[in-house]
């Protein structure tokens, strides 16, 4: 009897998998922090005999090489992927035995599109496909984006995505479970996935790659692509070179004097607490990236690559969880850290900085026409409507465009509050008066604020 265990990477919107039979298993697209995969194997009482990659990832650093080294597993990587380490090259049609006693095998299916070398893997039990690991190919209701490798290849890869989706749909039984790596909030997905689970049969009726002609599919796919997170440029090269093992031991602790010195040196000091606590009191000059939000995505996207970062956390557990998130995107070691709160992070006698929070109703009561309203949503979000007269700077562009924000008190908003809190902290650190609008954008119309589109 086969099994599949899912390893959620919620912060990045990805999933990894452990699958196999009674004694042996395969790890699919493992995360950098491989202890999770090892723990899953231990719970099952199986040995990891194979580690496979569907592609050289653009959105996170893989743990595949280290997992294979530690377990002695065969490391299967698509043959056409350019890598500088030893691995077992996989070509279309290759089959490997995962657990002979349970009659569980894995078959490679070439599915180019997300990358030129992308490969899906069908898990078979007694010769019957039961699961297909689709990586960044066929996702839930959509496909992986085709523009992350080389701009000149984007249209070609978009057409390949369409063909690959049809190959999977025609070559596998309708009841085959589709288990993608991307699509649960990942920016590697070309659109937001709808739902948590699916099958080949469901995708035949719901996935646009399988319901429209190739020209329409390509045109719609390319028109809907979002900005690429800046840190993606570093993920592919790191994975092709072969990532080093991670060190998740606690970083050196910083006292108030060291925190002040790091701020004075222009380093990033990041407060991981929730946005309410940060607004009420924080170290002046620090930035607020909530540990419970998409910290890995937004911090890695916005911080100058390689700049030292000091983490301020309310607890050792929060710090450890943030470290785990950050190593997945190549931010390996914080320069320093501290736990507790502003009282422990500031010199004696110094008071915390703060700024007010409000809602869209509060903005309406104040008068939007009398305020600088800054919208930090993405272009696609703003296209559906915005507050008349508001300034638009997507959150990932804000560090380099602070000078464009008009003078006056800035009321900053996003779609729900998390990104507004990041933006408010950046503005506050730059010495601007700011109000963080901690509210869902749907409330803007309910508050009577003037909205426009087009």
């Amino acid at each position: 009897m086969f099994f599949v265990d899912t390893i959620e990477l919620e912060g990045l919107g990805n999933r990894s998998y452990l699958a196999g039979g009674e004694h042996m298993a395969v790890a699919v697209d493992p995360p950098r922090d491989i202890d999770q995969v090892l723990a899953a194997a231990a719970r099952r009482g199986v040995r990891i005999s194979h580690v496979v990659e569907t592609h050289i990832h653009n959105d996170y650093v893989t743990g595949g090489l280290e997992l294979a080294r530690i377990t002695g597993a065969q490391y299967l990587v698509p043959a056409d992927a350019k890598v500088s380490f030893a691995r077992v090259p996989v070509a279309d049609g290759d089959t490997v035995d995962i657990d002979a006693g349970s009659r569980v095998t894995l078959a490679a299916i070439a599915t180019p599109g997300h990358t030129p070398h992308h490969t899906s893997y069908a898990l078979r039990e007694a010769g019957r496909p039961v699961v297909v690991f689709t990586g960044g190919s066929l996702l839930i209701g959509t496909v992986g984006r085709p523009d992350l490798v080389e701009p000149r290849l984007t249209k070609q890869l978009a057409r390949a995505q369409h063909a690959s989706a049809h190959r999977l749909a025609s070559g596998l039984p309708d009841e085959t479970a589709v288990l993608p790596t991307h699509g649960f909030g990942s920016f590697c997905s070309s659109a937001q996935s709808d739902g948590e689970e699916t099958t080949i049969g469901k995708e035949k009726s719901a996935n646009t790659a399988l319901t429209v002609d190739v020209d329409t599919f390509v045109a719609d796919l390319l028109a809907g692509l979002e900005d690429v997170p800046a840190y993606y440029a570093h993920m592919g090269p790191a994975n092709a070179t072969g990532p080093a093992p991670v060190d998740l031991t606690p970083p050196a602790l910083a006292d108030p004097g060291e925190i002040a010195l790091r701020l004075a040196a222009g380093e990033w000091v990041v407060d991981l607490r929730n946005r309410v606590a940060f607004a009420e009191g924080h170290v002046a000059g620090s930035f607020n990236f909530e540990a419970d939000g998409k910290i890995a995505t937004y911090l890695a996207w916005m911080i100058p690559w390689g700049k030292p970062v000091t983490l301020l956390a309310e607890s050792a557990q929060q710090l450890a969880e943030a470290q785990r998130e950050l190593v997945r995107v190549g931010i390996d070691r914080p320069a320093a850290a501290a736990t507790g709160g502003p009282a422990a992070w500031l010199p004696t006698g110094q008071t915390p900085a703060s700024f007010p929070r409000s809602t869209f109703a509060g903005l309406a009561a104040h008068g939007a026409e009398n305020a600088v309203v800054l919208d930090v949503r993405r272009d696609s979000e703003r296209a559906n409507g915005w507050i008349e007269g508001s300034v638009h700077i997507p959150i990932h562009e804000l560090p380099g465009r602070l000078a464009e924000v008009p003078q006056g008190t800035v009321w900053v908003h996003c779609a729900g509050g998390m990104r507004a809190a990041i933006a408010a902290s950046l503005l506050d650190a730059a010495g601007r008066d700011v109000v963080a609008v901690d509210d869902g954008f749907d409330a803007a119309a309910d508050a009577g604020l003037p909205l426009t589109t087009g």
Side-chain angles (χ1 to χ4, degrees):
M1 182 67 181
F2 79 96
F3 75 87
V4 178
D5 289 341
T6 301
I7 299 168
E8 294 275 2
L9 304 176
E10 292 185 11
L12 293 176
N14 287 330
R15 290 177 177 174
S16 297
Y17 302 95
L18 182 74
E22 186 178 358
H23 302 291
M24 307 289 241
V26 56
V28 181
D29 289 343
R32 185 100 180 271
D33 46 327
I34 61 173
D35 56 338
Q36 295 185 92
V37 186
L38 295 171
R43 286 192 296 270
R44 286 283 184 179
V46 295
R47 182 173 75 82
I48 298 174
S49 59
H50 296 77
V51 177
V52 303
E53 304 283 7
T54 57
H55 60 295
I56 299 300
H57 304 283
N58 291 288
D59 64 329
Y60 69 92
V61 182
T62 181
L65 183 63
E66 179 66 2
L67 182 61
R69 185 188 69 80
I70 286 178
T71 61
Q74 294 188 55
Y75 190 27
L76 278 57
V77 178
D80 291 338
K82 307 303 181 188
V83 298
S84 57
F85 50 83
R87 91 289 194 203
V88 178
V90 178
D92 183 48
D94 287 352
T95 302
V96 294
D97 288 330
I98 300 302
D99 190 304
S102 301
R103 303 179 68 188
V104 174
T105 60
L106 197 69
I109 306 170
T111 47
H114 186 49
T115 65
H117 61 268
H118 191 283
T119 302
S120 298
Y121 299 90
L123 189 76
R124 298 172 176 170
E125 183 180 54
R128 177 179 62 93
V130 289
V131 168
V132 59
F133 300 105
T134 56
S137 183
L138 189 68
L139 311 185
I140 301 178
T142 185
V143 295
R145 57 194 298 171
D147 62 326
L148 301 179
V149 177
E150 159 60 56
R152 291 171 294 182
L153 295 177
T154 297
K155 190 171 183 178
Q156 173 187 331
L157 289 176
R159 298 184 76 86
Q161 277 290 49
H162 188 269
S164 292
H166 280 265
R167 184 183 187 199
L168 290 170
S170 63
L172 295 168
D174 282 359
E175 63 272 18
T176 306
V178 175
L179 300 183
T181 300
H182 306 312
F184 309 96
S186 167
F187 281 90
C188 269
S189 176
S190 62
Q192 288 302 307
S193 296
D194 184 18
E196 291 294 310
E197 58 184 37
T198 192
T199 63
I200 289 292
K202 290 179 181 177
E203 291 308 301
K204 284 181 177 180
S205 62
N207 197 306
T208 55
L210 300 172
T211 59
V212 302
D213 65 88
V214 63
D215 290 332
T216 301
F217 168 78
V218 170
D220 291 346
L221 178 62
L222 300 186
L225 294 174
E226 301 272 13
D227 288 344
V228 178
Y231 70 90
Y232 277 28
H234 306 280
M235 300 298 96
N239 288 324
T241 301
V246 298
D247 179 3
L248 291 173
T249 58
L253 294 178
D255 61 20
E258 182 178 351
I259 293 171
L261 286 173
R262 291 188 176 278
L263 281 168
E267 297 182 10
W268 276 38
V269 174
V270 172
D271 191 326
L272 303 170
R273 296 175 301 148
N274 71 70
R275 55 187 180 262
V276 176
F278 183 88
E280 290 176 348
H282 56 269
V283 177
S286 62
F287 303 141
N288 183 214
F289 289 79
E290 291 181 300
D292 292 337
K294 294 177 74 68
I295 178 177
T297 294
Y298 284 104
L299 179 55
W301 195 341
M302 296 170 67
I303 190 172
W305 197 252
K307 182 176 280 291
V309 59
T310 293
L311 300 178
L312 306 180
E314 62 185 3
S315 67
Q317 180 180 350
Q318 186 181 68
L319 174 60
E321 290 172 353
Q323 277 186 260
R324 184 177 289 274
E325 289 279 341
L326 294 177
V327 297
R328 294 171 181 164
V329 293
I331 301 178
D332 283 9
R333 292 292 295 169
T339 57
W345 304 333
L346 290 167
T348 302
Q350 193 173 115
T351 58
S354 64
F355 54 76
R357 297 166 52 252
S358 190
T359 61
F360 285 109
L363 174 57
H366 174 82
E369 68 279 4
N370 300 317
V372 177
V373 180
L374 175 63
D375 180 350
V376 296
R377 296 175 299 160
R378 296 190 301 275
D379 291 342
S380 60
E381 296 172 287
R382 185 170 168 90
N384 294 321
W386 65 87
I387 297 170
E388 286 185 9
S390 62
V391 177
H392 180 225
I393 302 177
I395 183 64
H396 59 277
E397 298 180 11
L398 186 58
R401 298 179 60 187
L402 285 171
E404 298 178 30
V405 181
Q407 292 303 306
T409 299
V410 183
W411 290 64
V412 59
H413 78 85
C414 59
M418 181 195 74
R419 287 171 293 173
I422 297 173
S425 71
L426 294 173
L427 290 160
D428 177 72
R432 299 297 301 274
D433 291 329
V434 64
V435 179
V437 178
D438 194 355
D439 205 355
F441 189 71
D442 289 345
D446 296 337
L449 289 165
L451 302 183
T452 188
T453 59

